Amino acid sequence: MGTKRISFKTNFILTTVFVIGVGFLLLAASHSVGDYWVRIITLMAIYSIMAISYTLVNGVTGIFSLGHAGFIAVGAYTAALLTLPIQQKTMSFFIAPLIWPLNSIQMGFFPATIIAGLVAAFAAFLVGYPSLRVTGDYFAIATLAFAEIIRIVIQNSYSITNGSLGLKGIPPYTNIWWAWGWLLVTIIVIGSLKFSSYGRALRAMSEDTVAAGAMGINVFKHQLMSFVVSGFFAGIGGALYAHWLTTIDPRPTSLGIMLTFFVLIMIVIGGLGSISGAVLGAIFFAFAAQWLRIVESPMNFFGITIPGIPGMSMLIFATVFILIMLFWRRGIMGKDELSWQYIYDHFAKKAGDQD
Amino acid sequence: MKKALLLISIALLMVSVMFGAESVKIGVAFPMTGGIAAFGQMTLNGVKVAQSLYPTVLGKKIELIVADNRSDKTEAANVVSRLIDYNHVVAIIGEIASSHSLAGGSIAEKKHVPMLSPASTNPLVTQGKHYVFRACFIDPFQGHVAAVFAHNYLKAKTAVVFTDVVQDYSVGLANFFIKDFTAMGGKVYREFYQSGDQDFSAQLTDALGKHPDVIYVPGYYPEIALMARQARQLGYTGPFLAGDGAEAPELVKIGGDAVNGVYYTSHFNADAPFTKIGKEFVAKYKEMYKESPSALAALGFDAYLLLRNAIQRANSTNPEKIAEALRNTKHFEGATGYITIDKYGNTIKSAVVNVVKNGKFTYVTTINP
């Protein structure tokens, strides 16, 4: 077994080269694969941000929340209301006019995204403070309920969110660079958090809350912090999503429980608690959903046309998930991170097997 | 004989594959799976009827490329992008739900490819867009038609309006009805409910205390049916008025006798098509699917024909020119009436009012714009 530790310096250089390499790949992709795939590549990064922030709570901290879509919705609405052109606001809000001061604000994408993150983090604090008093399934239900409350408040506040009519005409600011840039920030922040003393405390709690508490870790405080940080990046993800889609509404199928389940699928596929797993899961999810459309279009075999059957792709999708859960129970990455050490160990082990 | 037919059809298929490049590609972005898959299927049936009646344009075969948006907003945007970028369609028929059309419409707009929605009635869908059109009338018009009908035909002075607060469709219709009905000198009281509610007795008791001449419920059929039942039990004998969301066979199944006397505004009535092409459509639809066409099917049929007509007039398959021609659609004969598209991409055409009579959807009158 190769147990050599890769030095910090090597690690740093390799990672920098990797990030620059990904940057060049994205640059090449944005010029060659066509607008459709560029959209999907952008969506991959947005999903990754949502997944990483979710895995911080559900995986690293080990508390099962079902309220993620609520914070994404808060972020999406906050950012959208801040960047929407004033003229668009007057046109869209035809049932009840938008209240002051939102009706006279229009700001750039970056500050709007930051504010969206902060507002979502504050929402996470408000939700987390009472709900973290309960644990396990009760916490899941409490957060689910809070997410629904957020959605229903959005649905009924006609003079702030345009209610069930939704918002449209959001400027399409989110491009491949914003999305992947924010993904890099998310990975750096949550990655360093995971491997800091706070992160070790979180991981200790995810193994055994009582033991961690007995060791002197303030369980509630740590859980709340993780929840708020997660909320911040969920809000960023929501802001990027709103400016990617250009229209949002509070339907259960768009910013409701379905979105939470999608993100949950991503992090379970990727491996609960693994940041790189969350990214891989999100990329897999976004890619497969599009790529599998091939099976839904009519196919030609030597002049015999097989008509496309809508829904086939979802059938295959579901089957793949079931297979992964059967044979790869901990997801693609398990709890590990795709680090250089991990890759080195992996290959060293392989080489060792051959000897 | 059967074998010969099979051989010929295979041969034809080969030919059509070989000359695939000669076809005009039109994308169809509908929900084929998920929550509103039934709407997608109904509309697609209408599109297919139109295709079998009029399969060519400018001497080329029209090829429909169906893309499923899975009743999901993210996918609604993705399929439009895919159809334009990957399938290289010249125009798109879609989408059905207004929220989906908003997502897909912004992509079509950016790519300058015309997108024609058969059934998105929310005014925001076409607002400020040059490449997004629709084959149906908009919510304000439907609310206006209901107000005119309540005032002129039902001679109503007092109306109670029930709004389904979670449906943008219902909120829109209710608001425009109230605006027009009060402008005509009527009196309006409001009640609210939500999709999925089962018990309306509290709101109904309150509403009946106002002695309304008509109850306007611009919602969807499950709640309308239940509400009608409970109102009849409470002794209400007057008429109900609803929007096209009432139109589904389930309305009668759930509501039974109670829904007799429910009037609703709609796009089409299969028993009384008032254009020649409408009769042709109903006959062909019955032949293909062994049932009467729904309003959505008629709208899908019209969307296909509007697009085909625009391509003919443009005498080109250039998306830019098709959009230009669509904008200049005047008095076009469709299954749902004579259609004119205004400069905002909205459709000006007449609406029909139907009533449930002995469990059947019966034509009452047509209201012109």
Side-chain angles (χ1 to χ4, degrees):
Chain A
M1 278 293 287
T3 45
K4 183 175 171 279
R5 299 289 306 172
I6 294 177
S7 72
F8 177 77
K9 203 174 143 197
T10 329
N11 224 334
F12 185 78
I13 294 169
L14 282 172
T15 307
T16 315
V17 170
F18 178 74
V19 169
I20 294 170
V22 170
F24 272 111
L25 269 181
L26 291 176
L27 184 68
S30 64
H31 287 291
S32 60
V33 293
D35 283 2
Y36 167 57
W37 281 109
V38 168
R39 273 184 73 78
I40 304 305
I41 292 170
T42 313
L43 183 64
M44 285 172 183
I46 299 172
Y47 276 164
S48 297
I49 294 169
M50 295 177 184
I52 293 173
S53 54
Y54 198 34
T55 213
L56 175 65
V57 170
N58 280 29
V60 180
T61 317
I63 44 178
F64 193 66
S65 151
L66 281 176
H68 209 56
F71 309 128
I72 295 175
V74 169
Y77 266 93
T78 311
L81 283 169
L82 292 176
T83 60
L84 262 179
I86 288 158
Q87 193 200 359
Q88 183 66 51
K89 284 179 182 168
T90 11
M91 281 207 303
S92 297
F93 284 73
F94 61 82
I95 300 245
L98 184 59
I99 52 157
W100 187 87
L102 285 172
N103 61 1
S104 48
I105 291 180
Q106 190 195 346
M107 60 170 73
F109 185 40
F110 185 70
T113 314
I114 298 283
I115 295 174
L118 292 175
V119 173
F122 183 64
F125 175 79
L126 290 182
V127 171
Y129 196 78
S131 340
L132 282 166
R133 312 266 162 186
V134 293
T135 51
D137 302 344
Y138 303 102
F139 178 74
I141 292 168
T143 46
L144 176 64
F146 270 114
E148 272 300 287
I149 291 172
I150 290 175
R151 197 180 64 74
I152 287 164
V153 167
I154 291 173
Q155 197 160 52
N156 288 288
S157 318
Y158 275 90
S159 56
I160 303 172
T161 61
N162 213 14
S164 51
L165 292 168
L167 296 174
K168 71 143 203 162
I170 305 165
Y173 288 138
T174 304
N175 56 22
I176 207 166
W177 302 115
W178 276 118
W180 284 81
W182 269 112
L183 174 59
L184 183 66
V185 173
T186 313
I187 292 176
I188 291 172
V189 172
I190 296 190
S192 7
L193 179 69
K194 184 180 168 183
F195 294 103
S196 69
S197 69
Y198 282 110
R200 279 192 289 275
L202 295 180
R203 280 181 287 156
M205 279 156 29
S206 81
E207 298 295 333
D208 192 329
T209 345
V210 179
M215 303 244 308
I217 298 170
N218 187 336
V219 174
F220 175 74
K221 211 177 96 189
H222 278 80
Q223 285 180 338
L224 189 61
M225 179 209 62
S226 140
F227 205 66
V228 168
V229 172
S230 161
F232 178 81
F233 283 102
I236 300 282
L240 292 169
Y241 179 72
H243 291 83
W244 174 84
L245 192 59
T246 74
T247 159
I248 46 175
D249 63 60
R251 260 164 241 273
T253 48
S254 34
L255 283 173
I257 185 68
M258 281 307 284
L259 185 59
T260 304
F261 285 148
F262 283 164
V263 185
L264 187 61
I265 289 171
M266 293 170 209
I267 63 172
V268 171
I269 292 289
L272 268 178
S274 166
I275 294 171
S276 36
V279 176
L280 289 178
I283 289 177
F284 173 75
F285 186 90
F287 177 74
Q290 300 308 318
W291 186 71
L292 283 173
R293 280 185 187 279
I294 299 173
V295 299
E296 288 183 7
S297 52
M299 278 178 281
N300 255 306
F301 287 114
F302 310 109
I304 302 164
T305 312
I306 301 163
I309 306 163
M312 269 307 277
S313 65
M314 291 327 258
L315 212 65
I316 296 176
F317 217 22
T319 317
V320 170
F321 289 158
I322 293 170
L323 288 177
I324 289 183
M325 285 300 103
L326 279 178
F327 296 108
W328 227 343
R329 202 159 297 163
R330 297 171 65 227
I332 300 171
M333 292 304 300
K335 281 201 168 188
D336 299 321
E337 291 296 347
L338 192 62
S339 61
W340 300 111
Q341 186 72 48
Y342 176 84
I343 294 168
Y344 177 81
D345 289 351
H346 212 71
F347 280 101
K349 200 174 154 196
K350 277 255 169 74
D353 286 348
Q354 275 167 7
D355 286 343
Chain B
M1 184 60 203
K2 258 193 176 160
K3 226 174 203 172
L5 263 177
L6 195 73
L7 277 174
I8 292 169
S9 53
I10 288 175
L12 275 175
L13 261 172
M14 301 268 264
V15 170
S16 66
V17 170
M18 281 159 74
F19 292 96
E22 278 299 294
S23 63
V24 175
K25 285 185 182 174
I26 292 181
V28 179
F30 284 174
M32 301 309 297
T33 54
I36 55 167
F39 294 159
Q41 192 57 54
M42 275 190 236
T43 322
L44 186 64
N45 286 350
V47 174
K48 284 192 170 153
V49 169
Q51 193 194 21
S52 69
L53 283 172
Y54 305 95
T56 57
V57 67
L58 306 176
K60 292 177 197 161
K61 209 173 147 272
I62 294 179
E63 187 190 342
L64 293 177
I65 298 173
V66 182
D68 173 19
N69 68 24
R70 299 173 188 155
S71 305
D72 180 85
K73 199 164 172 164
T74 310
E75 288 304 310
N78 287 346
V79 290
V80 171
S81 181
R82 184 184 173 93
L83 285 170
I84 296 171
D85 224 48
Y86 180 85
N87 298 112
H88 304 287
V89 298
V90 298
I92 292 170
I93 301 176
E95 314 208 358
I96 312 271
S98 292
S99 65
H100 295 167
S101 291
L102 282 172
S106 65
I107 310 246
E109 181 77 13
K110 202 168 111 199
K111 289 292 205 165
H112 291 207
V113 171
M115 183 176 122
L116 176 64
S117 166
S120 297
T121 52
N122 185 336
L124 294 178
V125 169
T126 51
Q127 193 188 63
K129 298 233 160 75
H130 290 100
Y131 296 88
V132 183
F133 307 88
R134 59 179 121 215
C136 52
F137 44 63
I138 54 175
D139 291 342
F141 178 66
Q142 206 178 157
H144 166 77
V145 165
V148 169
F149 181 79
H151 183 263
N152 295 352
Y153 193 95
L154 298 175
K155 309 281 177 219
K157 296 272 180 297
T158 315
V160 173
V161 177
F162 276 75
T163 312
D164 182 343
V165 286
V166 300
Q167 302 290 350
D168 54 344
Y169 158 81
S170 182
V171 174
L173 249 65
N175 269 277
F176 295 112
F177 174 87
I178 292 168
K179 211 173 96 197
D180 285 6
F181 192 70
T182 36
M184 286 179 231
K187 215 173 160 95
V188 174
Y189 298 97
R190 300 198 70 165
E191 299 288 344
F192 300 93
Y193 70 100
Q194 279 198 12
S195 293
D197 284 359
Q198 303 273 331
D199 179 25
F200 305 96
S201 46
Q203 295 103 309
L204 280 168
T205 312
D206 186 47
L208 297 186
K210 311 281 197 293
H211 305 290
D213 302 316
V214 62
I215 295 180
Y216 184 48
V217 201
Y220 288 100
Y221 58 85
E223 288 81 21
I224 297 172
L226 289 175
M227 201 181 287
R229 268 179 174 268
Q230 291 165 19
R232 300 295 186 225
Q233 279 162 8
L234 288 170
Y236 179 69
T237 52
F240 278 94
L241 184 57
D244 58 338
E247 187 165 10
E250 285 78 6
L251 179 75
V252 182
K253 271 187 213 151
I254 305 169
D257 284 342
V259 294
N260 283 335
V262 172
Y263 294 86
Y264 65 90
T265 50
S266 183
H267 308 266
F268 180 71
N269 186 318
D271 296 331
F274 43 80
T275 59
K276 197 172 133 273
I277 197 131
K279 292 192 181 81
E280 202 183 332
F281 161 68
V282 174
K284 184 76 185 173
Y285 191 97
K286 283 184 175 159
E287 183 197 320
M288 280 174 75
Y289 298 105
K290 316 283 179 251
E291 58 177 18
S292 262
S294 60
L296 275 175
L299 289 169
F301 178 86
D302 278 0
Y304 178 94
L305 288 192
L306 276 169
L307 211 48
R308 179 173 172 273
N309 174 266
I311 296 173
Q312 263 169 350
R313 278 185 292 119
N315 199 18
S316 153
T317 53
N318 177 312
E320 200 77 52
K321 289 192 176 136
I322 299 173
E324 177 69 34
L326 265 178
R327 264 193 292 276
N328 292 321
T329 303
K330 296 243 152 50
H331 207 65
F332 172 79
E333 185 188 339
T336 59
Y338 291 92
I339 299 168
T340 298
I341 294 182
D342 67 12
K343 62 177 187 231
Y344 306 108
N346 291 331
T347 304
I348 303 164
K349 64 176 184 183
S350 44
V352 297
V353 181
N354 299 330
V355 68
V356 185
K357 205 187 238 174
N358 302 322
K360 286 214 157 44
F361 298 134
T362 319
Y363 170 79
V364 180
T365 183
T366 303
I367 294 179
N368 292 312

